[in-house]
Amino acid sequence: MKKVYFKTFGCRTNQFDTQVMMARLGRYEIARDETEADVIVVNSCTVTNGADSGVRGYINQAARINPRARLLLTGCGAFTKGEELFEAQKVSGVFGHSEKEKIVSFLDKEERFFEIGDLEHVDTTVVEQFVGRSRAFIKIQEGCDFRCSYCIIPFVRGPARSLDEAQILEQIRRLAANGFGEFILTGTNVGSYGIDRGTSIAGLLKKMSRIRGVRRLRIGSLEPVQITKEFKELLDEPWMAKHLHIALQHTSDRMLEIMNRRNSFAGDLELFEEIASHGYALGTDFIVGHPGEDDMVWREAIERVKKLPLTHVHAFTYSRRDGTPSSTMKPQVPGNVAKARHKELTTLVKEKNLAFRRALKGPLEILVESEKAGEYVGLDQYFNKIAIRCERDIRGEWLFLESFEAVGEMNRGTF
């Protein structure tokens, strides 16, 4: 029986798309690594030029590790670099997001192919298992209608469109029946779910919470403008993870304008303080070193970060993305300056996270995911990592831990 190895780059949406392909494998088996694969499928990311370079480097490496394996390229990079890699014969096949449910037909092909598909497709596959995971990612929508000046993703994922509600709920029912209790809602722009169907993400969350076996729901990322009154009414529900990731991208209003964002710092601060009052940990995305970020703007931005009840940050050093408005903007920020600002920001948020964990009272609700060096590792309701000492194997279990210690970048405890 032929074997397929999947290499996934980038976001949770890509991770879900890989699971869709795995669910459609038919007579093919999943390979443990590249060396035993007959086919290597590269699910690529193209969010930055650096992401493209990483994918290209992996393709070259995979060809050396296993020269007999056929290499197929899919994901967002299929739209930006697929033709170039195909013509250079670095890959024997390229297929777009809309074609991934046809994975077996591509695995069967002996001739080279280029089938990019369209940007209007909506998945129909119901995923019942997540290979190697104790939490399940649930893709609820595809595409984005925002046009942030630095971002290429709307051009490779298409316009915002919601998956069928009945299909999403059936997927959760099946996964819950197979033992999954935590679900992470993902997509290109998750908070836009339902706009095209006359529903909302808040309404979907309510219906998910009523499914037997659902214990905790997380949302991948939201825009500030998407947190409505209806959504806020869910903040005290016991099944809501006590962590929200709200994408601000910056705290300078000047930079937000340059980035063509829809949020402002005054509104963001008010929103964060309101949600934090419900006991939430709060994370955000932040782009450091975008063109136009001079020293005065940066000092203002970092002082504003200090005011936010922020506990997590996904910080990016700006990387030029060909084809976006930001790619031609001036002045550029020198790389060493951007790197220093990135360090300043992440150090500050780490300090905020440690203070948040030290101030916590009450038990942590933990889903244990893995074992490493004699300790069991999982995430609590606040999206903080914890290492647990225990004499028995507790992988995959839910635990309540009353006593723990906040040490460095994670918590530690004994069960």
Side-chain angles (χ1 to χ4, degrees):
M1 189 175 289
K2 289 189 175 181
K3 294 184 177 182
V4 187
Y5 180 74
F6 290 91
K7 176 65 175 180
T8 306
F9 289 85
C11 65
R12 290 167 173 168
T13 303
N14 265 14
Q15 294 176 38
F16 181 89
D17 288 347
T18 293
Q19 296 292 335
V20 168
M21 289 186 281
M22 288 180 173
R24 292 265 184 165
L25 277 185
R27 64 185 178 280
Y28 288 86
E29 288 186 0
I30 298 172
R32 291 174 297 179
D33 56 44
E34 293 91 342
T35 60
E36 65 177 33
D38 298 290
V39 185
I40 298 172
V41 177
V42 183
N43 192 357
S44 60
C45 175
T46 192
V47 68
T48 64
N49 287 355
D52 281 338
S53 298
V55 170
R56 179 187 289 274
Y58 175 78
I59 288 171
N60 291 333
Q61 177 188 9
R64 291 193 300 270
I65 292 173
N66 185 351
R68 68 177 179 81
R70 292 170 60 232
L71 278 159
L72 307 183
L73 177 70
T74 188
C76 294
F79 292 86
T80 56
K81 298 298 179 183
E83 188 173 356
E84 176 187 327
L85 292 167
F86 184 73
E87 290 180 354
Q89 299 200 19
K90 296 289 186 180
V91 295
S92 61
V94 176
F95 60 100
H97 308 299
S98 62
E99 311 303 299
K100 63 181 174 289
E101 292 175 297
K102 305 174 187 174
I103 181 68
V104 170
S105 68
F106 297 135
L107 297 175
D108 287 342
K109 281 182 183 290
E110 295 184 3
E111 68 275 14
R112 302 180 77 236
F113 66 90
F114 190 95
E115 297 191 24
I116 203 67
D118 60 57
L119 293 176
E120 299 176 357
H121 175 77
V122 175
D123 296 344
T124 60
T125 300
V126 174
V127 176
E128 298 186 26
Q129 286 290 348
F130 267 72
V131 178
R133 295 186 178 276
S134 53
R135 301 180 295 154
F137 299 129
I138 304 295
K139 186 164 79 171
I140 65 170
Q141 66 85 227
E142 183 74 272
C144 181
D145 293 332
F146 283 50
R147 289 293 183 269
C148 302
S149 59
Y150 49 82
C151 188
I152 195 72
I153 297 304
F155 303 99
V156 298
R157 285 276 180 183
R161 53 211 187 272
S162 304
L163 273 66
D164 179 67
E165 182 184 272
Q167 177 188 319
I168 294 169
L169 297 175
E170 178 60 23
Q171 191 156 268
I172 290 187
R173 285 189 195 96
R174 295 191 190 184
L175 286 163
N178 286 330
F180 288 88
E182 179 168 330
F183 300 89
I184 302 98
L185 277 57
T186 187
T188 316
N189 189 315
V190 176
S192 68
Y193 176 82
I195 292 174
D196 55 340
R197 292 176 178 262
T199 58
S200 67
I201 188 171
L204 180 65
L205 284 163
K206 291 174 191 175
K207 292 179 180 179
M208 288 178 169
S209 71
R210 300 184 191 118
I211 295 174
R212 183 180 178 87
V214 171
R215 186 156 179 169
R216 188 155 71 197
L217 295 172
R218 294 189 189 273
I219 302 103
S221 180
L222 295 166
E223 295 286 337
V225 297
Q226 294 167 340
I227 300 179
T228 62
K229 180 180 179 181
E230 182 189 18
F231 186 92
K232 291 176 183 177
E233 290 172 354
L234 304 179
L235 291 176
D236 295 323
E237 293 289 350
W239 40 264
M240 283 282 285
K242 301 293 281 187
H243 166 267
L244 286 176
H245 187 95
I246 304 171
L248 303 184
Q249 305 302 355
H250 217 279
T251 51
S252 160
D253 289 316
R254 172 63 182 146
M255 289 308 304
L256 292 171
E257 181 182 355
I258 290 171
M259 292 176 172
N260 197 32
R261 295 283 298 160
R262 303 184 187 186
N263 53 306
S264 67
F265 178 70
D268 295 342
L269 179 60
E270 182 180 356
L271 176 66
F272 270 50
E273 288 179 339
E274 180 182 0
I275 296 173
S277 71
H278 290 263
Y280 275 68
L282 288 164
T284 196
D285 294 328
F286 201 111
I287 298 174
V288 173
H290 186 281
E293 187 189 74
D294 60 26
D295 287 341
M296 186 177 296
V297 165
W298 176 248
R299 291 319 324 160
E300 175 193 48
I302 204 72
E303 289 304 314
R304 287 180 166 187
V305 169
K306 291 176 182 177
K307 296 178 182 179
L308 287 169
L310 197 61
T311 59
H312 299 75
V313 67
H314 191 185
F316 302 83
T317 300
Y318 173 74
S319 174
R320 182 174 165 271
R321 174 69 270 183
D322 295 336
T324 63
S326 293
S327 66
T328 59
M329 289 182 181
K330 304 291 182 183
Q332 298 283 324
V333 177
N336 63 322
V337 173
K339 186 176 180 180
R341 291 175 181 173
H342 182 280
K343 184 176 181 180
E344 182 179 9
L345 173 65
T346 54
T347 298
L348 171 59
V349 178
K350 284 177 184 177
E351 291 169 357
K352 284 175 165 284
N353 179 274
L354 180 60
F356 176 87
R357 288 183 285 124
R358 285 178 171 169
L360 280 176
K361 293 180 174 63
L364 300 181
E365 185 178 12
I366 302 153
L367 173 57
V368 183
E369 296 187 68
S370 60
E371 182 272 333
K372 185 176 181 181
E375 292 182 316
Y376 295 93
V377 180
L379 289 170
D380 64 24
Q381 65 267 47
Y382 305 102
F383 201 60
N384 288 315
K385 187 177 288 187
I386 183 164
I388 305 166
R389 290 278 182 184
C390 187
E391 294 183 359
R392 62 180 180 84
D393 190 339
I394 53 175
R395 283 174 291 185
E397 292 188 23
W398 289 86
L399 306 177
F400 283 97
L401 199 62
E402 293 283 352
S403 179
F404 63 93
E405 184 180 8
V407 181
E409 295 182 22
M410 65 190 305
N411 295 325
R412 294 188 176 276
T414 302
F415 184 77

